[in-house]
């Protein structure tokens, strides 16, 4: 059974040439809110962390693709758009100038359309300093600072209505019931113990049926405030706040944050400050799962780098709902014969899917996912983020999120890493801890 694409998705636009853009500095934003003041519409694209990032409005161009070549095809389309672009950008800041937001299907076999979207207006912020970019494919449009400010004001004239708790809001089961999913976990463990693979990531879904239309902007603001150490994203009906950075590229430097190993904070003792460190970092099962994930990423990234460093031991990342074992990786990218380094999207295509969201070996894990989940993941656990004209970009993994299927129907996803020592009931409890950010942001009581 499969899920439909978000109803908010517009028909694909005919690829265009001749993008024109202008970027203007706008000074310093309010330190307490940063970009969140611009998260005011339900149809925006966002990438925000600690008040910095990008918020975008409208659409100037769109590309869609599916299948195993979706990353390469998107990269080529973006290159073609830039070949004929007329760009005015006095800033040497990643994310300034023309940018494309992207969301890609998890699986190369998925019928879900991966997409790059070039917005019309982008407000960016870095270290408190902001800029405004206006992008158009209209050869007759005025491209100026005044036109950019006027277009932004027009979008902000229509802001979203907030919603409170609705008695009609309810959670319903997804493709599999809890019992069916736990059976799938047990079957996955059997395959691992038989030596077919070392790790498998199994996802499940639940559906929020709302009594009134979802207030996307409100949900995004709540996620961004509560989960400030995560990257809050919104691309074409896919929303969430991910703690995992697949790859970030700034000029010739690449960074990643790998997570594997989870501990729910709900039942943690209040008077034991070393609890998370002791239980997570002291768990052979959790350390084994984490090591598989970090090895997966570093092995796939290594061919593109001249040097690479990572933590010798994972650290404990504290989030409002869970603790994670986490490792940060930094690498210097190898310069090619033409003097360039790989773009962020090129690295996404090389790295995805990692063991953190699929398992290892990838081919075996991917086949088992299709067999045991009975779920079309669509964009869940796929790359989500943005890239600019210089190849810089930030691409997270679409976790702790949901797909807005209709104004009153939101499908949420959560996945768990399964290894030989996994217990089905414990994995079910972990999945609920990962649903919690979206459930709470939607204002639903479970």
């Amino acid at each position: 059974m499969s899920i439909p694409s978000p109803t908010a998705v517009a028909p694909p636009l005919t690829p265009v040439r001749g993008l024109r853009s202008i970027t203007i500095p706008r000074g310093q934003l309010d330190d307490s809110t940063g970009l969140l003041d611009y998260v005011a519409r339900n149809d925006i694209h966002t990438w925000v962390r600690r008040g910095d990032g990008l918020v975008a409005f409208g659409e100037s161009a769109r590309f869609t693709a599916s299948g195993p070549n979706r990353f390469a095809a998107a990269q080529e389309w973006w290159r073609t758009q830039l070949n004929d672009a007329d760009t005015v950008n006095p800033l040497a800041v990643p994310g300034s100038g023309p940018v494309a937001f992207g969301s890609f299907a998890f699986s190369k076999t998925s019928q879900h359309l991966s997409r790059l979207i070039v917005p019309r207006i982008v407000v960016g912020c870095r270290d408190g300093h902001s800029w405004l970019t206006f992008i158009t494919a209209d050869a007759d449009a005025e491209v100026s600072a005044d036109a950019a400010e006027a277009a932004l004001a027009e979008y902000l004239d229509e802001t979203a209505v907030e919603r409170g708790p609705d008695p009609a809001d309810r959670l319903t089961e997804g493709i599999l019931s809890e019992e069916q999913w736990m059976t799938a976990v047990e079957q996955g463990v059997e395959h691992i113990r038989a030596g077919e693979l070392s790790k498998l990531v199994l996802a499940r879904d639940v559906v929020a049926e709302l009594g009134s239309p979802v207030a996307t902007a409100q949900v995004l603001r709540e996620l961004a405030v509560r989960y400030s150490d995560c990257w809050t994203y919104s691309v074409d009906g896919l929303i969430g706040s991910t703690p995992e950075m697949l790859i970030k590229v700034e000029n010739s430097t690449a960074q990643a944050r790998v997570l594997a190993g989870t501990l729910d904070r709900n039942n943690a003792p209040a008077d034991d400050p070393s609890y998370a460190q002791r239980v997570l970092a002291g768990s052979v099962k959790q350390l084994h799962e984490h090591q598989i994930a970090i090895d997966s990423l570093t092995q796939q990234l290594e061919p593109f780098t001249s040097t690479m460093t990572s933590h010798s031991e994972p650290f404990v990342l504290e989030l409002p709902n869970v603790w994670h074992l986490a490792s940060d990786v930094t690498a210097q990218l190898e310069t090619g014969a033409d003097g360039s380094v790989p773009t962020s999207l090129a690295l996404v295509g090389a790295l995805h899917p990692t063991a953190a969201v699929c398992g290892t070996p990838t081919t075996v894990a991917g086949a088992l996912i299709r067999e045991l989940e009975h779920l079309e993941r669509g964009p869940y656990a796929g790359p989500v983020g943005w890239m600019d004209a210089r190849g810089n970009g930030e691409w997270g993994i679409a976790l702790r999120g949901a797909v807005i299927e209709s104004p009153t129907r939101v499908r949420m996803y959560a996945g768990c890493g399964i290894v030989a020592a996994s217990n089905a009931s414990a994995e079910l409890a972990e999945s609920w801890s990962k649903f919690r950010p979206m459930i709470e942001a939607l204002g639903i009581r479970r």
Side-chain angles (χ1 to χ4, degrees):
M1 187 179 296
S2 64
I3 62 169
S5 297
T7 57
V9 172
L13 299 181
T14 302
V16 297
R17 295 194 177 208
L19 289 175
R20 302 157 63 217
S21 68
I22 184 170
T23 298
I24 55 174
R26 299 187 86 233
Q28 194 158 357
L29 295 180
D30 187 323
D31 289 340
S32 63
T33 56
L35 280 174
L36 293 188
D37 287 341
Y38 293 93
V39 182
R41 292 174 61 104
N42 291 336
D43 57 355
I44 56 174
H45 304 303
T46 61
W47 182 266
V48 176
R49 182 175 187 255
R50 295 178 179 171
D52 283 0
L54 303 172
V55 175
F57 306 83
E59 185 171 318
S60 293
R62 171 187 291 253
F63 173 81
T64 59
S66 59
N69 296 320
R70 61 200 184 282
F71 299 111
Q75 175 72 63
E76 177 60 21
W77 178 84
W78 183 229
R79 185 192 66 79
T80 302
Q81 306 311 303
L82 297 174
N83 280 346
D84 296 317
D86 180 4
T87 300
V88 177
N89 179 15
L91 304 179
V93 179
S96 63
V99 297
F101 282 75
S103 165
F104 288 82
F106 167 80
S107 174
K108 63 184 179 182
T109 65
S110 175
Q111 296 303 304
H112 176 85
L113 290 177
S114 299
R115 60 208 66 189
L116 281 182
I117 299 169
V118 181
R120 185 166 175 251
I121 286 289
V122 184
V123 181
C125 181
R126 186 183 179 96
D127 299 327
H129 295 280
S130 68
W131 63 90
L132 174 63
T133 299
F134 175 59
I135 312 167
T136 182
D138 183 353
D140 298 322
E142 177 190 348
V143 179
S144 65
D146 287 345
E149 293 286 3
L152 175 61
E154 181 181 345
Y155 284 112
L156 294 179
D157 274 347
E158 296 183 17
T159 57
V161 176
E162 296 194 354
R163 75 186 293 271
D166 190 314
D169 292 348
R170 60 193 178 95
L171 284 179
T172 63
E173 286 185 340
I175 300 301
L176 296 181
S177 67
E178 291 186 345
E179 293 74 18
Q180 289 171 326
W181 189 77
M182 285 192 291
T183 298
V185 171
E186 291 166 352
Q187 291 172 340
V189 170
E190 290 175 4
H191 284 280
I192 293 169
R193 291 177 179 171
E196 299 172 31
L197 70 170
S198 55
K199 179 181 177 181
L200 174 67
V201 179
L202 288 178
R204 56 185 290 253
D205 62 330
V206 295
V207 178
E209 301 284 2
L210 306 177
S212 55
V214 59
T216 306
Q218 179 184 357
V219 170
L220 292 170
R221 287 195 302 271
E222 292 191 17
L223 288 172
V225 170
R226 295 196 62 213
Y227 293 83
S228 58
D229 281 330
C230 297
W231 291 268
T232 297
Y233 60 88
S234 173
V235 179
D236 221 22
L238 173 70
I239 63 173
S241 198
T242 182
E244 189 149 2
M245 175 67 74
L246 176 62
I247 199 72
K248 173 183 179 179
V249 173
E250 288 191 0
N251 303 315
S252 61
T253 301
Q255 296 174 285
R257 171 164 286 182
V258 181
L259 306 181
T262 304
L263 181 62
D264 193 348
R265 296 190 62 181
N266 241 10
N267 302 314
D271 57 350
D272 188 351
S274 64
Y275 173 75
Q277 179 69 33
R278 186 175 68 253
V279 174
L280 273 179
S283 166
V284 173
K285 182 259 185 187
Q286 302 278 21
L287 288 172
H288 174 60
E289 181 184 341
H290 186 82
Q291 193 61 49
I292 291 172
I294 193 71
D295 288 347
S296 168
L297 181 124
T298 55
Q299 288 168 10
Q300 291 167 286
L301 183 60
E302 193 275 336
F304 302 93
T305 67
S306 56
T307 62
M308 182 162 49
T309 60
S310 63
H311 294 101
S312 57
E313 295 182 358
F315 64 93
V316 175
L317 176 66
E318 180 179 339
L319 299 176
N321 58 324
V322 296
W323 289 285
H324 286 297
L325 284 180
S327 291
D328 287 339
V329 177
T330 302
Q332 292 301 306
L333 296 173
E334 189 75 60
T335 303
D338 62 354
S340 67
V341 297
T343 68
S344 59
L345 188 54
L347 292 179
V348 165
L351 296 174
H352 178 78
T354 67
V357 293
C358 179
T360 188
T362 302
T363 303
V364 178
L368 269 179
I369 285 171
R370 291 189 291 274
E371 175 187 336
L372 299 178
E373 280 186 357
H374 302 281
L375 177 69
E376 165 60 87
R377 287 190 179 187
Y380 165 72
V384 60
W386 62 269
M387 70 181 302
D388 67 17
R390 297 171 295 277
N392 299 312
E394 295 180 89
W395 296 92
I397 300 175
L399 305 175
R400 311 297 191 273
V403 170
I404 300 173
E405 295 184 347
S406 80
T408 57
R409 184 179 177 87
V410 180
R411 189 179 300 268
M412 294 171 277
Y413 299 84
C416 298
I418 310 301
V419 293
S422 292
N423 172 273
S425 60
E427 301 298 342
L428 179 69
E430 180 180 315
S431 73
W432 279 114
S433 72
K434 292 174 176 177
F435 283 129
R436 198 178 305 138
M438 281 302 309
I439 290 174
E440 292 177 349
L442 287 167
I444 299 175
R445 295 195 177 189
R446 184 186 158 207

PDB file of all heavy atoms in Angstrom, residues 39 72 116 185 286 334 420:
ATOM      1  N   VAL A  39       8.240  32.921   9.360  1.00  0.00           N
ATOM      2  CA  VAL A  39       7.515  31.650   9.244  1.00  0.00           C
ATOM      3  C   VAL A  39       6.053  31.947   9.559  1.00  0.00           C
ATOM      4  O   VAL A  39       5.544  31.690  10.642  1.00  0.00           O
ATOM      5  CB  VAL A  39       8.099  30.582  10.191  1.00  0.00           C
ATOM      6  CG1 VAL A  39       7.367  29.256  10.031  1.00  0.00           C
ATOM      7  CG2 VAL A  39       9.588  30.394   9.910  1.00  0.00           C
ATOM      8  N   ALA A  72      21.306  12.724  -9.808  1.00  0.00           N
ATOM      9  CA  ALA A  72      22.096  13.211 -10.936  1.00  0.00           C
ATOM     10  C   ALA A  72      21.245  14.062 -11.875  1.00  0.00           C
ATOM     11  O   ALA A  72      21.707  15.089 -12.390  1.00  0.00           O
ATOM     12  CB  ALA A  72      22.706  12.032 -11.692  1.00  0.00           C
ATOM     13  N   LEU A 116      13.206  19.473  -6.923  1.00  0.00           N
ATOM     14  CA  LEU A 116      13.922  20.708  -6.621  1.00  0.00           C
ATOM     15  C   LEU A 116      12.985  21.852  -6.938  1.00  0.00           C
ATOM     16  O   LEU A 116      12.345  21.862  -7.999  1.00  0.00           O
ATOM     17  CB  LEU A 116      15.181  20.848  -7.467  1.00  0.00           C
ATOM     18  CG  LEU A 116      16.430  20.067  -7.074  1.00  0.00           C
ATOM     19  CD1 LEU A 116      17.568  20.409  -8.025  1.00  0.00           C
ATOM     20  CD2 LEU A 116      16.853  20.345  -5.638  1.00  0.00           C
ATOM     21  N   VAL A 185       9.519  -6.428  13.215  1.00  0.00           N
ATOM     22  CA  VAL A 185      10.786  -6.263  13.920  1.00  0.00           C
ATOM     23  C   VAL A 185      11.374  -7.621  14.289  1.00  0.00           C
ATOM     24  O   VAL A 185      12.575  -7.878  14.088  1.00  0.00           O
ATOM     25  CB  VAL A 185      10.604  -5.392  15.181  1.00  0.00           C
ATOM     26  CG1 VAL A 185      11.870  -5.411  16.037  1.00  0.00           C
ATOM     27  CG2 VAL A 185      10.249  -3.959  14.795  1.00  0.00           C
ATOM     28  N   GLN A 286      23.695  -0.312  21.825  1.00  0.00           N
ATOM     29  CA  GLN A 286      23.609   1.034  21.274  1.00  0.00           C
ATOM     30  C   GLN A 286      24.918   1.448  20.598  1.00  0.00           C
ATOM     31  O   GLN A 286      24.915   2.064  19.527  1.00  0.00           O
ATOM     32  CB  GLN A 286      23.267   2.033  22.385  1.00  0.00           C
ATOM     33  CG  GLN A 286      21.971   1.749  23.129  1.00  0.00           C
ATOM     34  CD  GLN A 286      20.742   2.262  22.395  1.00  0.00           C
ATOM     35  OE1 GLN A 286      20.778   2.480  21.198  1.00  0.00           O
ATOM     36  NE2 GLN A 286      19.651   2.443  23.124  1.00  0.00           N
ATOM     37  N   GLU A 334      38.197  16.856  -1.763  1.00  0.00           N
ATOM     38  CA  GLU A 334      39.277  16.759  -2.751  1.00  0.00           C
ATOM     39  C   GLU A 334      38.949  17.638  -3.954  1.00  0.00           C
ATOM     40  O   GLU A 334      37.838  17.612  -4.489  1.00  0.00           O
ATOM     41  CB  GLU A 334      39.414  15.310  -3.202  1.00  0.00           C
ATOM     42  CG  GLU A 334      40.626  15.028  -4.066  1.00  0.00           C
ATOM     43  CD  GLU A 334      41.914  15.002  -3.261  1.00  0.00           C
ATOM     44  OE1 GLU A 334      42.039  14.165  -2.344  1.00  0.00           O
ATOM     45  OE2 GLU A 334      42.782  15.840  -3.570  1.00  0.00           O
ATOM     46  N   ALA A 420      20.928  -7.349  16.255  1.00  0.00           N
ATOM     47  CA  ALA A 420      20.651  -8.687  16.790  1.00  0.00           C
ATOM     48  C   ALA A 420      20.065  -8.645  18.201  1.00  0.00           C
ATOM     49  O   ALA A 420      19.278  -9.527  18.577  1.00  0.00           O
ATOM     50  CB  ALA A 420      21.931  -9.523  16.770  1.00  0.00           C
TER      51      ALA A 420
END
